[in-house]
Amino acid sequence: MEPVLQMEHIVKQFSDFYAVKDVSLSVNKGETVAIIGPSGSGKSTLLRCVNRLERVSSGNIVINGETLVSTGHDGRPVYVSEKEAARICLNTGMIFQHFNLFPHMTCIQNIRYAPIVVKKEDRKQATKQAKDLLRLVGLEDKADAYHAQLSGGQKQRVAIARGLAMNPALMLFGEPTSALDPEITGEVLAVMKDLAKQQMTMLVVTHEMGFAREVADRVIFMDSGQIAEEGTPEEIFNHPKSERLKAFLQKTLRI
């Protein structure tokens, strides 16, 4: 097993509130890990700590073999320099709930922007890659469309293509379908399923129990800022150990 992400003893504190309490997890190359749990359980905060959208209060994070943050002797987090942190975080692609596409750019411009500006890739090559990625997410006919001309599902698929354009070692998904109508959620999940089949390394925070059950290699159940239970989809959904997980599944799956 080759870990792409290692998080050890992560704590995230907001004033006197602990959103994440001593969480450790790893994601191996080619693995899809789903994080489930009730609202307010710390799932999204933990995900945002991976690429420094939230700074940890303490703990260690290693991405693709490089240390982003470690805990000093005084218990406080020690991040690498801003330049190094930015470089290390390029190994991650982040898909948000609300797409965050540039509205003044077409789909293809959105996708090729970061490779050209950040990685200094050749414009012609970046354009070719963008077209290939639009084909991958089933939107090759939308290359010249703008944000306002797309449905919510299409916008999210463009966002996924944009994340993939930087060739990340790890894709992070923060409840990618929660802002979508149920009838178009499936088209986004289908793209994510295809990525899993291609062994794209993914850490997915989701309320879609069907996706976690069908696609994930491992499922993590968080509650009150901690990992309450962890296992294969079979173990989590068919043989939950804790009463808390049983209650959560009964509510979400309406068992």
Side-chain angles (χ1 to χ4, degrees):
M1 293 293 184
E2 181 182 340
V4 174
L5 172 66
Q6 295 169 284
M7 305 182 80
E8 298 176 343
H9 305 296
I10 300 300
V11 174
K12 177 58 183 178
Q13 183 178 2
F14 296 98
S15 186
D16 59 349
F17 172 71
Y18 286 86
V20 178
K21 308 172 187 175
D22 194 24
V23 168
S24 296
L25 68 84
S26 64
V27 182
N28 294 313
K29 186 175 181 180
E31 187 179 32
T32 297
V33 176
I35 304 179
I36 64 173
S39 297
S41 60
K43 307 183 303 295
S44 296
T45 300
L46 180 67
L47 191 76
R48 291 169 64 86
C49 287
V50 174
N51 58 0
R52 215 177 41 138
L53 291 177
E54 296 284 0
R55 287 179 173 264
V56 301
S57 301
S58 64
N60 309 318
I61 299 177
V62 178
I63 300 173
N64 218 24
E66 297 188 278
T67 298
L68 174 66
V69 59
S70 57
T71 302
H73 295 300
D74 58 359
R76 295 182 179 180
V78 179
Y79 278 87
V80 295
S81 69
E82 288 293 319
K83 183 177 180 180
E84 280 294 286
R87 183 184 62 78
I88 292 171
C89 288
L90 285 178
N91 284 297
T92 67
M94 181 77 174
I95 308 302
F96 300 89
Q97 294 180 29
H98 298 290
F99 329 126
N100 291 346
L101 298 177
F102 295 119
H104 62 288
M105 293 184 183
T106 64
C107 291
I108 203 160
Q109 289 170 340
N110 263 283
I111 296 167
R112 74 186 182 193
Y113 178 80
I116 292 173
V117 174
V118 179
K119 297 181 76 174
K120 310 301 181 185
E121 286 187 7
D122 175 73
R123 185 184 184 87
K124 184 177 180 180
Q125 177 58 34
T127 300
K128 180 183 181 303
Q129 181 191 39
K131 290 180 179 179
D132 290 342
L133 289 170
L134 281 172
R135 189 176 303 113
L136 177 70
V137 299
L139 292 173
E140 58 267 41
D141 61 332
K142 298 293 184 180
D144 297 321
Y146 286 89
H147 177 275
Q149 298 171 305
L150 304 174
S151 70
Q154 290 170 336
K155 291 172 186 176
Q156 194 61 291
R157 283 188 280 161
V158 173
I160 292 172
R162 183 179 61 179
L164 292 169
M166 294 295 282
N167 298 310
L170 171 68
M171 284 289 285
L172 306 169
F173 291 84
E175 299 181 11
T177 61
S178 64
L180 303 178
D181 293 333
E183 62 184 17
I184 59 176
T185 291
E187 63 190 52
V188 175
L189 294 178
V191 171
M192 295 171 65
K193 290 177 183 178
D194 286 342
L195 292 177
K197 289 177 183 177
Q198 296 171 33
Q199 293 194 305
M200 180 74 213
T201 309
M202 299 192 291
L203 181 60
V204 184
V205 169
T206 184
H207 289 297
E208 298 290 339
M209 296 300 107
F211 174 86
R213 192 171 202 161
E214 178 186 348
V215 180
D217 298 296
R218 193 155 41 96
V219 179
I220 292 170
F221 172 62
M222 287 189 68
D223 186 46
S224 301
Q226 298 176 303
I227 294 178
E229 204 160 328
E230 178 178 357
T232 65
E234 166 73 15
E235 291 167 337
I236 292 296
F237 290 101
N238 295 344
H239 306 286
K241 297 175 183 177
S242 67
E243 291 302 318
R244 183 67 187 90
L245 176 55
K246 290 177 184 177
F248 173 78
L249 293 176
Q250 286 175 350
K251 183 176 181 180
T252 55
L253 300 177
R254 294 179 174 83
I255 297 173

